[in-house]
Amino acid sequence: MQKIVVEGGRALDGEVPVSGAKNAVLPILCATLLANEPVTIRNVPALHDVATTKKVLAGLGAGVEIDPATWGGGRDSAVTVDPRGVNGHVAPYELVKTMRASVLVLGPLLARHGAAEVSLPGGCAIGSRPVDQHIKGMQALGAEVVVEHGFIKARAGRLRGGRVTFDMVSVGATENVLMAACLAEGESVLENAAMEPEIVDLADCLAAMGAKIEGAGSGRIHVQGVAALGGATHSVLADRIEAGTFLVAAAMTGGRVTVLHAHPQSMDAVLAKLAEAGAEVLVEGDRITVDMRGRRPRAVDVNTLPHPGFPTDMQAQFMAMNCIAEGAGMIRETIFENRFMHVQELQRLGADIKVDGHTAVVRGVPDLTGAPVMATDLRASASLILAGLVARGETVIDRIYHLDRGYENIEAKLSGLGAKIRRVG
Ligand SMILES: CC(=O)N[C@H]1[C@@H](OP(=O)(O)OP(=O)(O)OC[C@H]2O[C@@H](n3ccc(=O)[nH]c3=O)[C@H](O)[C@@H]2O)O[C@H](CO)[C@@H](O)[C@@H]1O
Ligand SMILES: C=C(OP(=O)(O)O)C(=O)O
């Protein structure tokens, strides 16, 4: 199994490009199933999750063409999905269990083909992650849904517009119902909708395909259903979590890093926390610079919330920063019930962290020491790399397949900033 080896102790310095957002490209790829013509997506990151989505779409009969000349090449990298050959409606367990976002084919398949069978994703390291709100939304649009033999089985004639009030803010449920409503007859209203920037990006792509959507990015979304959606070309939003991870790396190592092609407007909460930690934060168009001028960061308190609050997907990285910061910081995780799996591994590197329920108190120590550690999920993996960048000696991170789900070329990007990091095995 591959591992990542990091030798700590170098301040990062330089510029690094940000890739397209994992959490935008996955729903957008699923949305192509709604169209009756090919859809081309650009700025597609070369991620394992994108490859998994390709398998899900191809398994349904869609043509998925990845342009080999541009693949992995950042903003030019393109995928074209031709949904005209879709003749299946099953997303199998083998794929869904490796990537929960596969559940996002439910709405498009149901709206376009009147039937969908999607394996229940099951729990994962960070929590149980139920899909009741997705199901409730489909039912509100007139679908019959049963859960049996581990599958969500949904059927409908043409969906009809409806009003859905989500019980809690869910990014995935908002996306699934939004996509389904685009082809429903009449108007739908989504109340208590998630406001994440990736939802706005999905809505922009759907609009380019011919959908009529108002209010994406707010808590209430109106959709006027149309009879058909056509082809489009769409470029994926920059990944705010990847960008944030590099900026935390700058802050932790006392360095100076500029992220390029970023989307600072979606990063207010994270940039404010970096400033609170003592970093100089400079935003110039789509470039963000964090300059720490060799200083040690100050510990910050973090409370994860739905957007525009502080994102849960940056919690582990800020915990890593607090581990070597001056003072103590309190981290409260309110989105997922079990998202502190990185704590034990950070402790192996010498971190002082006490967990009480959903709260972790992190007291900064002057330095960490390298050790073998194990990645338990995607952002936990990122936090261990960050800790490895400042730890004395070598940190060897196992189970890095989690990392490859969501970070494109992370070793190459960090090496470009002066980190000593390599993949082995
Ligand atoms: C591919 C993708 O975009 N993943 C992101 C998405 O995940 P995802 O869309 O799965 O996360 P949700 O916003 O749905 O989950 C938020 C909370 O709602 C709960 N819930 C959700 C749906 C449901 O039907 N019932 C229910 O109880 C979840 O268990 C969780 O506690 O948003 C999360 C929260 O910002 C991010 O951490 C993930 O990176
Ligand atoms: C939890 C995450 O992703 P997913 O929803 O794909 O598991 C994440 O991106 O941190």
Side-chain angles (χ1 to χ4, degrees):
M1 211 182 287
Q2 291 191 326
K3 296 178 185 180
I4 280 188
V5 182
V6 190
E7 267 177 56
R10 293 164 170 237
L12 299 195
D13 183 19
E15 298 184 341
V16 61
V18 178
S19 298
K22 166 180 87 74
N23 288 352
V25 73
L26 302 179
I28 286 171
L29 284 168
C30 295
T32 62
L33 292 171
L34 289 162
N36 54 19
E37 288 172 331
V39 177
T40 296
I41 321 288
R42 295 192 190 286
N43 198 26
V44 176
L47 301 175
H48 201 266
D49 274 8
V50 170
T52 305
T53 309
K54 179 187 171 187
K55 284 187 201 157
V56 173
L57 298 178
L60 295 166
V64 188
E65 218 178 276
I66 293 184
D67 178 356
T70 60
W71 187 239
R75 284 145 75 75
D76 292 329
S77 83
V79 172
T80 298
V81 182
D82 185 346
R84 287 174 294 193
V86 171
N87 53 9
H89 60 268
V90 181
Y93 179 61
E94 288 65 39
L95 294 175
V96 181
K97 75 174 180 197
T98 67
M99 190 195 70
R100 305 183 54 84
S102 327
V103 77
L104 297 174
V105 298
L106 178 68
L109 282 175
L110 186 60
R112 176 83 174 86
H113 299 282
E117 291 190 17
V118 179
S119 171
L120 283 169
C124 77
I126 63 177
S128 63
R129 305 182 74 177
V131 288
D132 55 303
Q133 300 302 303
H134 301 240
I135 293 173
K136 171 178 151 165
M138 298 308 150
Q139 287 168 332
L141 301 186
E144 275 177 35
V145 188
V146 292
V147 176
E148 56 183 18
H149 305 300
F151 276 78
I152 309 163
K153 297 183 178 176
R155 298 212 173 264
R158 185 171 179 199
L159 292 173
R160 50 163 207 274
R163 177 175 285 269
V164 183
T165 304
F166 294 109
D167 296 343
M168 81 279 295
V169 176
S170 162
V171 175
T174 302
E175 291 168 342
N176 232 340
V177 181
L178 169 64
M179 292 188 280
C182 288
L183 287 182
E185 191 169 1
E187 195 192 29
S188 297
V189 183
L190 281 59
E191 300 274 9
N192 197 24
M195 304 194 281
E196 266 63 5
E198 291 76 18
I199 289 172
V200 178
D201 202 38
L202 170 64
D204 286 348
C205 179
L206 289 165
M209 290 158 62
K212 300 213 172 335
I213 301 168
E214 273 176 27
S218 77
R220 178 182 293 135
I221 305 177
H222 286 262
V223 185
Q224 190 63 48
V226 296
L229 293 174
T233 297
H234 178 81
S235 188
V236 175
L237 175 75
D239 196 315
R240 63 196 164 105
I241 307 301
E242 187 202 22
T245 304
F246 291 131
L247 296 177
V248 172
M252 285 178 72
T253 60
R256 181 182 204 275
V257 169
T258 301
V259 290
L260 310 175
H261 318 306
H263 188 252
Q265 304 87 318
S266 63
M267 295 181 63
D268 285 351
V270 165
L271 298 182
K273 281 290 158 194
L274 284 166
E276 205 179 309
E280 284 171 29
V281 180
L282 180 66
V283 176
E284 298 161 294
D286 65 358
R287 300 160 58 98
I288 311 170
T289 301
V290 157
D291 194 348
M292 209 60 196
R293 296 183 187 271
R295 292 187 307 261
R296 187 177 170 196
R298 285 192 296 272
V300 291
D301 292 339
V302 162
N303 193 22
T304 65
L305 286 171
H307 194 77
F310 187 93
T312 172
D313 293 351
M314 284 299 301
Q315 179 255 107
Q317 299 89 318
F318 271 75
M319 185 178 298
M321 184 181 81
N322 276 354
C323 288
I324 51 91
E326 250 179 82
M330 190 150 75
I331 305 227
R332 241 182 98 221
E333 172 58 54
T334 75
I335 307 293
F336 292 110
E337 68 270 21
N338 192 31
R339 210 172 193 181
F340 281 151
M341 301 283 286
H342 38 283
V343 167
Q344 276 191 351
E345 302 304 305
L346 290 168
Q347 285 168 336
R348 290 180 51 72
L349 301 176
D352 179 351
I353 308 170
K354 300 234 167 6
V355 175
D356 182 8
H358 292 182
T359 302
V361 175
V362 188
R363 285 176 213 289
V365 294
D367 69 354
L368 299 173
T369 53
V373 287
M374 206 159 66
T376 48
D377 66 76
L378 171 54
R379 307 304 168 186
S381 320
S383 75
L384 295 172
I385 290 185
L386 293 175
L389 290 174
V390 294
R392 245 185 313 120
E394 214 173 68
T395 299
V396 182
I397 305 161
D398 203 352
R399 303 209 179 162
I400 53 160
Y401 49 84
H402 293 293
L403 192 73
D404 295 331
R405 280 188 48 222
Y407 287 92
E408 183 179 47
N409 298 332
I410 190 164
E411 314 96 91
K413 288 186 179 186
L414 287 171
S415 296
L417 296 172
K420 254 194 138 184
I421 178 170
R422 66 185 196 279
R423 188 177 287 244
V424 296

